[in-house]
Amino acid sequence: MKYLLLCLLTFSFLFSFSYTNAQIVEQPDPLRPSVPDSSKASKRDSSKTAANQLKADTLKNVVPPPTIFRYRFTADGTATAGNVSRTLLQLTSAVDYQLSNYFKLSSNPSFVYGKQNGILAEREWFGDLRTTYRYEKRLYYLAFGSYERSNLRQINHRWTAAAGVGYKLLNHKRAYISITDVVMQEYTDFLELNDINIFRNSARLFGEYTFDKDRFTITHTAFYQPALGQYNVRWNASLSVQIKLTQVVSLRSTVANAYESLIVPGRQNNDFRFTLGLVYEKK
């Protein structure tokens, strides 16, 4: 049994399937808030809070403090040899740090590296830093900046800065849905195209659902980012299914699709990928 489990873990780490080209898709997979919404989301939630208040008051010295630092790390990849030689490594992460009851810092850095028949295909970097104000409330505010480089898309540099609002459509222990809308300035330095400096509207829908005492988790993220004043559209979406193997290690499978209307010659507008890998997560 131990040998079978070891084989499964090894296989899941090394296995990945990619249709067209795997790539960094600009779709941060955030960590949902660890603390329930402080606003009264429903009468049921508020009644539970009231019922537990007396118990909490009597156990102040026993109740542990809330978690202020959380993180998730995902690794997957593939290696093949023969008529087609292919190597691919994908590393993604999500970090949350609560500065206070009002402010939270978050980041979702990622890196993809791949070769096909000895030729560099992917070398994709993405990093961002976000701050959220009133993150425990149903209506909250956020601002962020990001940086991206992409060999696949032939992007030398891409800088973005944005600010806007978010709203929690659903905030329960087993189900969470939020929507954000921001105005974003983007500067992209293409290797072969003229540089662009535009404003976009960026809308994101994020959801997470857990089942069987948190053993199974389903997560979805979708972005729609049209440019303001001209036709230049980006959209991407992903769906992940996660199965907990231990308290901190899970097996995760993800399907993702990304589309950009403006690309360099010789590249495709659409990229689809399916990956299977391991997740190390501490919440």
Side-chain angles (χ1 to χ4, degrees):
M1 184 66 182
K2 291 182 178 180
Y3 176 76
L4 180 60
L5 180 59
L6 179 61
C7 290
L8 175 61
L9 294 177
T10 303
F11 174 77
S12 64
F13 181 78
L14 294 178
F15 175 79
S16 172
F17 170 76
S18 166
Y19 177 71
T20 65
N21 291 303
Q23 69 158 77
I24 282 285
V25 286
E26 202 172 315
Q27 47 180 27
D29 181 10
L31 293 169
R32 61 174 291 186
S34 60
V35 181
D37 194 347
S38 59
S39 62
K40 303 294 189 298
S42 66
K43 293 182 179 180
R44 180 180 179 183
D45 292 337
S46 60
S47 63
K48 286 184 178 180
T49 302
N52 292 330
Q53 185 62 47
L54 180 61
K55 183 178 179 180
D57 291 339
T58 59
L59 297 176
K60 285 183 179 179
N61 297 327
V62 180
V63 176
T67 302
I68 63 171
F69 180 74
R70 301 180 301 140
Y71 55 88
R72 173 194 294 142
F73 178 77
T74 307
D76 55 64
T78 185
T80 62
N83 292 319
V84 176
S85 298
R86 172 68 166 154
T87 57
L88 176 68
L89 174 65
Q90 300 187 111
L91 305 174
T92 61
S93 59
V95 179
D96 270 5
Y97 183 72
Q98 299 175 20
L99 296 175
S100 67
N101 290 332
Y102 292 96
F103 286 98
K104 178 178 70 172
L105 293 178
S106 307
S107 182
N108 294 85
S110 56
F111 174 69
V112 176
Y113 182 85
K115 285 186 175 182
Q116 181 137 352
N117 293 330
I119 300 175
L120 179 67
E122 298 93 0
R123 186 170 56 202
E124 320 294 301
W125 299 87
F126 179 83
D128 68 334
L129 181 62
R130 302 189 307 281
T131 180
T132 307
Y133 174 62
R134 290 166 44 99
Y135 61 89
E136 290 187 5
K137 303 297 183 180
R138 182 172 292 274
L139 177 67
Y140 55 96
Y141 306 90
L142 67 155
F144 66 87
S146 67
Y147 173 75
E148 180 182 0
R149 296 192 67 177
S150 172
N151 181 74
L152 191 64
R153 294 282 188 181
Q154 294 290 286
I155 295 173
N156 193 28
H157 303 286
R158 172 176 283 167
W159 298 89
T160 60
V165 299
Y167 187 78
K168 300 173 185 177
L169 300 174
L170 189 64
N171 188 27
H172 298 297
K173 184 178 180 180
R174 302 298 180 190
Y176 176 85
I177 303 176
S178 69
I179 185 170
T180 62
D181 191 80
V182 303
V183 175
M184 179 172 66
Q185 183 183 19
E186 173 192 306
Y187 170 76
T188 303
D189 174 16
F190 288 103
L191 291 176
E192 299 181 29
L193 291 179
N194 293 330
D195 299 349
I196 60 171
N197 191 352
I198 59 175
F199 282 88
R200 293 183 185 274
N201 178 256
S202 178
R204 186 199 73 190
L205 178 68
F206 172 77
E208 183 177 287
Y209 319 93
T210 60
F211 308 91
D212 193 17
K213 298 180 179 179
D214 295 337
R215 184 184 178 190
F216 300 95
T217 301
I218 296 177
T219 305
H220 61 78
T221 311
F223 284 85
Y224 181 66
Q225 300 175 324
L228 302 179
Q230 60 179 287
Y231 180 73
N232 186 326
V233 176
R234 288 210 310 266
W235 69 267
N236 49 64
S238 67
L239 176 67
S240 298
V241 178
Q242 188 170 316
I243 304 174
K244 185 174 290 188
L245 302 177
T246 69
Q247 195 65 27
V248 294
V249 177
S250 303
L251 181 67
R252 190 182 195 189
S253 178
T254 301
V255 291
N257 194 85
Y259 174 87
E260 290 197 31
S261 61
L262 180 63
I263 57 173
V264 300
R267 302 287 170 167
Q268 296 187 24
N269 297 88
N270 200 78
D271 287 281
F272 175 85
R273 64 182 173 131
F274 168 80
T275 57
L276 181 67
L278 292 179
V279 177
Y280 181 85
E281 183 172 15
K282 181 66 175 178
K283 285 190 175 183

